[in-house]
Amino acid sequence: MEILFLLVPLSVVLVFFVGVAFWWSLRSGQYDDLEGPGHRVLMDDDKVREKKSGK
Amino acid sequence: MCCGGCEAVARAIVENGLGDYYRTRDALPASPREAIPVALADLGIFDHAGFQKTFVRELGEFEREASLIIEGITCAACIWLIEKHVAGQPGVAGVEINFASRRARVRWDVRRTRLSAILAAVAAIGYVAHPYDAGRSEALARKERRAALWRLFVAGFGMMQVMMYAVPVYLAGEGDMTADIELLMRWASLVLTVPVVFYSAAPFFRGALRDMRLRRVGMDVPVALGIGTAFAASVWATLMAAGEVYFDSVVMFVFFLLGGRYLEMVARQRAVSVTEALAKLMPAFAARVPDYPEERSIERVMAVDLSPGDVVLVRPGEGFPMDGSVLEGSSSANEALLTGESLPVVKAPGSEVIGGSLNVESPVFVRAERVGEATRLAAIARLMERAALERPRIVQQADRIAGVFILMLLLVAVAVAVVWWFIDPSRALWITVSVLVVTCPCALSLATPVALTIAGGAMARSGLLVTRSHAVETLARVTHFVFDKTGTLTQGRLGVAGILPLGRLGGGECVALAARVEYASEHPVGLALREAAGKVEGRVECVVNHPGDGMQALVEGRSVRVGRPGWVSELHGQPLPDTARAFLSGEETVVALGDDSGWLALFRFSDSIRPEAAMMIESLRAAGLHLVLLTGDEAPVAAYVARDLGIEEVRAEATPADKHAFVAQLQEGGAVVAMVGDGVNDAPVLARAQVSIAMGGGAQLARTQADIVLLSENLEHLGQGYWLARRTLRVVRQNLAWAFVYNVVALPLAMFGFVTPWLAGIGMSGSSLLVVLNSLRLQGAKQVGN
């Protein structure tokens, strides 16, 4: 059970790292538009193929 | 293809290899007229450095970034199309469009392209891009949203972690866990709860402080007290290594409350955008004619730079950029959103025009009289702001109960501490803490917001977007429902209501012929005829538009007129037959069709009542509400609609100020008023009413004032929403009653020392959980109702 004395503080430190990661993703605007990217990824592929076959 | 404009748009799309748009779009563009590319020369003004100052940022020596609002976006395919098309232009470094807000950011290299070229590229595929001032409200909204999301995340993640430390302690049997490990868990919980209490919950503490300074007890006071007490007691227990900790309850409580507030804020920001409202109403640009009348050349200027006396050319389909009077040309203006008048108003030389209304028929020269802040639209906006300030504050029941309760609780706690100090000083502290924790007003302060949030979610699914959470509660208490007419109870556009053939042609043929004559008309009559005819076939020649009278054209060698009966009879000189007299006597618009040999037909038009309106009125009347029709339209039309729907009280020909005064008068008599409207002229009265409901398709300005936006435009949902609101109020009352009973029972037990602190913790969480579960019934009931 002594391992808990290492693991519990470690989990606290880890939480702060996760917090920093979220803060960064929030700052870089990843939560500003939650719908658009989902649609965007669906449409891009066909476009490239079409252009190539057209030329 | 309906016209040359559409063809040009389609060609631009297909030639650029963007044909995918047609396969993936799931909504049609807004209207064919918007798809006509604007005159490219007009875009030149965007290249002036002085004009760009407000919305363009310099990123590097040659790189610039502009913020734009793009109009006409209806689905994800539109965004894809614009991004691909604009990114493919030479010199464009990047383009991003936000799906939710329709804002675009474009970056380009000034050495290789100009802003006007980019806007022309957007226009070529049929969208309209406006610059907008990114500096203020949008940036503010984004900052608010990010801060709220960050608070919510800190609370949510803190909650998960603290639970991880708390659950083992709950589950461990006697002696499973050594004292030092339990202490370790407590310290870990403490470290993670500190940011939740001091950062995430900061708005509650600030709100409580503000309330106390104003010497009133608002909703934030019990919340702050609950968080503060439980946290302080837990910290004390951790430091002393004795007693119980409640870190898990604290973080969970903060997370639930913040979650509700965040959802409410997102809904409000989605429905309301003041920048958009102002950008859309008044056109941003005007075509000034500096040397009128000698020289007709125009220059594009910003509407705010106009001064009284300037002469401006307004083309059909454009909005008037200021108040003024017509100098030359005749046309008609659609003022429906500003005055509630459902038919276009004829504008001849000398007529007054209102800024923000729409020129319908033909180009006119207008002399500016009042510009900017002096316009009637600006006056309406000011009236609206004032009304919003005057909005009678409804003291919420929960606040009152909680306020009294908190005061009592504090007195009791002090009394308990003093009494136990004399009986047994060693137990005094823990019994006082138990009293405070067991009676923690968590359930009491969750009772209202949780029920309102869940009801708001259920309403949103049927197209009623609640933007301010008090609206649901207030809607349930409403005594008077006041409706606007045009665009709210009615469709807001004309439809053919009756046909009386007078000559050799049948009714259907007459409609087809009239539609041919009106094939290019933007007048509501023309639109209604075309809609009734379905397909318009065959060419007509020499089409002449006589504003205020009608349309004349040459069809297969015959002159045909569609318009005012008196004007049509000038063509053939015959009086109206007696059979037509009865047809004319109604209150609705009647238009005649005739050629040079005689009368052909009469058409009757009316702004048709929404089909579901009668059902909603019936359902509201069943609830015993007083219904009023309040409109800017003429009295006979208003009376007709009211009679048809069964509304007893009618106020017609009301100006925005009249409407505001009428509702204020009702409120003085003790009425709780719900106002349903759609136009700009409704904005002040919407701001005044206790609950305001705007139609989703109405003016943006009206939507900014609305507590509830009816996105589905289906009035039946409004009726259902009302009943759901009443059910919600019932659930809120049950919640409050339960929380109160719980406290009344638990308090004496705690006072006499029967409740250990851990039992108090379970009681606190249990009572909150019960409140949440009871509120969830609203969701289930809604589904059964459907």
Side-chain angles (χ1 to χ4, degrees):
Chain A
M1 288 299 264
E2 279 70 34
I3 192 70
L4 279 179
F5 287 98
L6 176 68
L7 288 180
V8 169
L10 200 67
S11 68
V12 173
V13 174
L14 213 62
V15 166
F16 280 94
F17 277 113
V18 172
V20 169
F22 181 82
W23 182 76
W24 169 81
S25 65
L26 192 70
R27 281 272 311 210
S28 63
Q30 292 186 28
Y31 293 87
D32 287 353
D33 184 4
L34 296 176
E35 288 165 78
H39 291 288
R40 217 163 277 159
V41 82
L42 287 176
M43 280 190 263
D44 272 352
D45 269 354
D46 318 4
K47 164 73 179 32
V48 175
R49 231 186 310 136
E50 201 173 279
K51 223 179 183 177
K52 274 180 189 156
S53 62
K55 275 177 187 171
Chain B
M1 303 290 163
C2 59
C3 61
C6 295
E7 206 179 318
V9 167
R11 197 179 301 132
I13 291 172
V14 175
E15 275 174 6
N16 285 289
L18 301 175
D20 224 19
Y21 165 69
Y22 289 112
R23 277 196 294 280
T24 50
R25 69 175 177 188
D26 47 23
L28 287 174
S31 88
R33 195 149 51 85
E34 277 182 29
I36 299 170
V38 292
L40 299 187
D42 289 352
L43 296 173
I45 188 172
F46 290 103
D47 293 330
H48 288 297
F51 178 60
Q52 287 192 351
K53 211 164 46 196
T54 53
F55 66 98
V56 173
R57 283 195 309 144
E58 295 189 11
L59 294 179
E61 196 184 345
F62 299 109
E63 203 177 357
R64 300 282 183 274
E65 184 183 81
S67 315
L68 306 169
I69 294 181
I70 302 205
E71 268 182 49
I73 291 178
T74 53
C75 67
C78 296
I79 290 177
W80 174 82
L81 176 67
I82 300 170
E83 283 190 346
K84 285 288 148 195
H85 186 68
V86 173
Q89 305 293 314
V92 174
V95 52
E96 284 162 33
I97 301 175
N98 188 316
F99 186 83
S101 66
R102 281 134 205 226
R103 303 293 196 282
R105 280 209 302 271
V106 186
R107 289 187 304 282
W108 73 97
D109 186 333
V110 282
R111 286 166 302 181
R112 296 179 57 203
T113 189
R114 286 166 308 155
L115 182 57
S116 60
I118 296 170
L119 295 182
V122 174
I125 47 174
Y127 299 90
V128 182
H130 295 296
Y132 89 105
D133 194 350
R136 292 197 302 273
S137 46
E138 167 68 9
L140 221 67
R142 188 160 61 196
K143 220 169 120 189
E144 190 190 6
R145 206 164 51 232
R146 282 186 179 175
L149 197 59
W150 178 232
R151 280 184 211 286
L152 185 63
F153 174 84
V154 169
F157 211 69
M159 177 182 80
M160 287 192 265
Q161 284 300 314
V162 171
M163 284 294 171
M164 285 206 358
Y165 306 133
V167 170
V169 179
Y170 286 142
L171 294 183
E174 199 67 43
D176 282 357
M177 195 175 268
T178 56
D180 48 354
I181 286 189
E182 200 179 329
L183 196 63
L184 178 73
M185 297 291 199
R186 286 182 172 196
W187 274 100
S189 304
L190 172 64
V191 169
L192 291 179
T193 311
V194 165
V196 175
V197 169
F198 286 94
Y199 180 72
S200 294
F204 300 116
F205 287 113
R206 269 202 299 273
L209 210 65
R210 193 191 54 222
D211 281 353
M212 256 133 70
R213 270 204 212 106
L214 294 171
R215 293 182 186 287
R216 62 192 179 91
V217 182
M219 217 48 230
D220 283 334
V221 174
V223 171
L225 200 74
I227 297 170
T229 315
F231 180 69
S234 306
V235 171
W236 180 254
T238 309
L239 291 176
M240 297 288 115
E244 287 293 319
V245 293
Y246 313 101
F247 291 121
D248 51 333
S249 306
V250 172
V251 285
M252 194 159 52
F253 183 49
V254 172
F255 176 73
F256 281 145
L257 282 176
L258 281 178
R261 288 195 179 189
Y262 178 73
L263 291 177
E264 190 192 325
M265 186 194 69
V266 168
R268 190 167 54 231
Q269 288 193 350
R270 213 169 63 185
V272 175
S273 169
V274 179
T275 38
E276 212 171 348
L278 295 177
K280 274 207 162 157
L281 268 174
M282 274 285 193
F285 307 107
R288 186 159 65 186
V289 191
D291 300 319
Y292 183 87
E294 293 84 28
E295 184 85 54
R296 294 289 167 94
S297 62
I298 61 168
E299 56 175 12
R300 301 293 282 186
V301 294
M302 301 216 26
V304 289
D305 292 338
L306 287 173
S307 45
D310 282 350
V311 176
V312 171
L313 172 67
V314 183
R315 297 200 183 87
E318 290 180 350
F320 290 98
M322 76 286 131
D323 292 357
S325 61
V326 177
L327 284 178
E328 186 189 330
S330 52
S331 180
S332 57
N334 184 344
E335 296 173 352
L337 284 180
L338 288 156
T339 63
E341 166 76 56
S342 50
L343 286 176
V345 183
V346 175
K347 299 294 176 191
S351 314
E352 295 258 314
V353 295
I354 310 173
S357 64
L358 201 72
N359 184 11
V360 179
E361 281 170 42
S362 46
V364 283
F365 289 91
V366 183
R367 181 197 301 280
E369 273 162 13
R370 289 181 302 275
V371 297
E373 282 299 293
T375 56
R376 204 163 338 156
L377 185 64
I380 291 179
R382 274 198 300 277
L383 189 61
M384 178 193 89
E385 276 164 25
R386 212 185 64 208
L389 289 177
E390 286 168 4
R391 184 200 292 265
R393 292 266 149 238
I394 296 170
V395 186
Q396 288 174 9
Q397 194 183 16
D399 279 23
R400 280 204 307 267
I401 293 181
V404 174
F405 181 78
I406 292 296
L407 278 177
M408 273 170 41
L409 180 62
L410 287 177
L411 291 176
V412 167
V414 169
V416 165
V418 169
V419 169
W420 275 95
W421 186 257
F422 287 111
I423 301 173
D424 183 358
S426 65
R427 292 177 66 193
L429 177 71
W430 285 112
I431 287 178
T432 311
V433 168
S434 289
V435 166
L436 284 173
V437 170
V438 82
T439 55
C440 163
C442 298
L444 202 60
S445 45
L446 278 175
T448 316
V450 166
L452 294 186
T453 306
I454 291 170
M459 284 187 181
R461 254 171 284 137
S462 65
L464 268 175
L465 192 64
V466 180
T467 63
R468 291 176 184 85
S469 66
H470 82 83
V472 177
E473 200 187 343
T474 321
L475 185 63
R477 299 170 195 277
V478 156
T479 55
H480 286 62
F481 247 90
V482 181
F483 294 95
D484 174 48
K485 185 187 74 75
T486 312
T488 303
L489 289 178
T490 66
Q491 310 265 16
R493 58 192 165 84
L494 289 185
V496 177
I499 305 165
L500 179 66
L502 294 171
R504 55 189 189 282
L505 294 177
E509 289 170 285
C510 288
V511 172
L513 178 63
R516 278 168 72 182
V517 174
E518 296 265 357
Y519 79 99
S521 168
E522 284 299 328
H523 194 279
V525 164
L527 294 177
L529 281 169
R530 284 211 298 277
E531 193 187 304
K535 216 167 173 184
V536 179
E537 281 174 341
R539 291 188 67 86
V540 291
E541 288 153 32
C542 306
V543 180
V544 188
N545 180 9
H546 298 262
D549 288 326
M551 298 280 268
Q552 178 170 356
L554 212 58
V555 185
E556 289 148 18
R558 292 174 295 145
S559 265
V560 179
R561 279 183 176 183
V562 181
R564 205 162 51 76
W567 178 71
V568 172
S569 74
E570 287 169 19
L571 192 64
H572 47 70
Q574 294 172 12
L576 262 180
D578 291 339
T579 49
R581 293 273 167 237
F583 200 79
L584 273 178
S585 62
E587 310 295 354
E588 295 133 324
T589 312
V590 173
V591 162
L593 172 71
D595 62 10
D596 32 26
S597 62
W599 297 99
L600 289 173
L602 289 179
F603 304 109
R604 190 164 58 195
F605 295 87
S606 64
D607 182 5
S608 46
I609 295 167
R610 290 180 192 265
E612 72 281 1
M615 208 142 94
M616 176 206 58
I617 296 282
E618 195 50 50
S619 133
L620 292 183
R621 220 209 320 250
L625 297 175
H626 193 90
L627 306 175
V628 184
L629 182 67
L630 182 64
T631 175
D633 211 347
E634 287 161 26
V637 187
Y640 166 76
V641 170
R643 212 168 41 239
D644 205 52
L645 287 172
I647 298 177
E648 311 92 28
E649 197 175 343
V650 183
R651 294 291 159 105
E653 291 169 41
T655 64
D658 291 345
K659 289 185 173 187
H660 180 251
F662 174 73
V663 167
Q665 194 193 332
L666 281 181
Q667 286 172 338
E668 267 163 35
V672 180
V673 179
M675 174 76 208
V676 193
D678 75 317
V680 174
N681 61 329
D682 299 320
V685 70
L686 285 175
R688 173 80 204 194
Q690 279 101 333
V691 191
S692 48
I693 300 144
M695 304 301 278
Q700 293 276 348
L701 199 61
R703 288 168 57 177
T704 62
Q705 285 312 308
D707 301 321
I708 300 174
V709 179
L710 185 55
L711 287 177
S712 65
E713 300 230 329
N714 185 340
L715 290 173
E716 212 183 321
H717 293 156
L718 181 56
Q720 290 167 359
Y722 172 74
W723 286 101
L724 181 64
R726 290 198 23 169
R727 257 204 321 272
T728 307
L729 192 62
R730 243 191 341 261
V731 166
V732 167
R733 287 199 175 123
Q734 287 163 3
N735 285 349
L736 288 174
W738 155 250
F740 203 73
V741 166
Y742 159 79
N743 280 318
V744 165
V745 172
L747 187 60
L749 291 179
M751 276 164 65
F752 293 112
F754 292 121
V755 180
T756 56
W758 69 267
L759 208 61
I762 290 178
M764 178 172 82
S765 323
S767 67
S768 303
L769 197 65
L770 201 78
V771 162
V772 173
L773 289 177
N774 187 36
S775 306
L776 278 172
R777 289 190 313 134
L778 285 169
Q779 220 166 8
K782 178 72 200 162
Q783 276 154 3
V784 172
N786 273 352

